[in-house]
Amino acid sequence: DYLAEIIASVPDGINVSPMAHAFAGRYALALNQCESAKRHFEDASKDLAPEDWPYSNVYLDFLHAHVDAIDYAIALRCVGEEAEARELIDGTITWLDEMEANGFGASQIPVVRAKAHVLRGETARAMELLEQYAQRKGPILLGIINDPAFESVEDDPRFQAVIATIKAKNRLILQQINKIVEESGIEF
């Protein structure tokens, strides 16, 4: 296992970043290795104060921490720990409500919210959030395409329309960037 080798190769006395374990957890989810995913998300929490996991991380990046929380919930659900997963999903929505009420925001909050809502079986709300996200200005991440949180809605026409919108917007933005680069004379 490549990720295990990387983690094992870290010199003694140096903690592996919680983010490394979180990425390893996401990789394990993509491979449908639920127990491994759960273990990696739990290992990510070991370097953090209990109150910091899963709603915050050492980088103080609350958005990524909530991606961790939602992915951890998927891993918990995958191993049959539904109550724990539901608690994490509900906690993420509550935490995002609090962050937004206090003026904090990030461009991808609708995606994190959509993940939580689709996992709660609230597909219509999830699709509304994704449609809002797809209408934002600027580049939009395509990570939702292979995200295990959206597996249950992959064939939904609304989800497919969101993906098509995001791809079209990103193609246009890349064309604009390429034009600027060409006009600037920068060589790659």
Side-chain angles (χ1 to χ4, degrees):
D1 180 42
Y2 177 69
L3 287 172
E5 288 177 31
I6 291 173
I7 292 169
S9 70
V10 174
D12 288 339
I14 296 177
N15 287 332
V16 174
S17 164
M19 292 301 284
H21 280 294
F23 284 120
R26 284 189 203 94
Y27 177 70
L29 277 178
L31 297 175
N32 202 33
Q33 295 177 358
C34 303
E35 289 289 343
S36 177
K38 179 185 175 210
R39 186 182 69 251
H40 278 294
F41 286 116
E42 289 170 351
D43 285 347
S45 72
K46 289 179 183 173
D47 290 335
L48 303 172
E51 65 273 11
D52 289 339
W53 175 259
Y55 304 116
S56 183
N57 65 36
V58 292
Y59 298 106
L60 302 178
D61 182 344
F62 65 89
L63 175 66
H64 284 103
H66 277 82
V67 171
D68 296 347
I70 292 296
D71 289 342
Y72 182 38
I74 294 168
L76 290 171
R77 183 174 276 175
C78 188
V79 298
E81 297 179 25
E82 181 63 35
E84 295 84 353
R86 182 61 181 234
E87 183 178 326
L88 210 46
I89 294 163
D90 293 344
T92 294
I93 290 173
T94 299
W95 196 86
L96 288 172
D97 289 343
E98 291 170 8
M99 292 303 289
E100 288 180 319
N102 290 317
F104 293 97
S107 64
Q108 292 185 44
I109 284 178
V111 174
V112 179
R113 280 189 182 283
K115 290 171 77 160
H117 284 288
V118 81
L119 291 172
R120 282 176 30 168
E122 300 164 352
T123 304
R125 179 67 179 135
M127 291 302 115
E128 287 173 24
L129 290 161
L130 290 175
E131 288 165 346
Q132 291 170 9
Y133 177 69
Q135 297 307 316
R136 290 178 178 238
K137 292 182 180 179
I140 301 175
L141 299 177
L142 287 171
I144 65 173
I145 292 174
N146 294 313
D147 192 314
F150 297 116
E151 191 173 274
S152 67
V153 295
E154 284 177 347
D155 297 327
D156 184 305
R158 288 178 73 184
F159 185 76
Q160 289 302 314
V162 165
I163 297 300
T165 300
I166 291 171
K167 284 182 175 182
K169 286 179 73 173
N170 283 346
R171 271 193 300 275
L172 180 61
I173 290 167
L174 286 175
Q175 289 170 355
Q176 293 169 343
I177 292 170
N178 284 337
K179 182 180 178 188
I180 293 168
V181 169
E182 286 174 10
E183 290 173 355
S184 72
I186 297 173
E187 294 184 32
F188 283 90

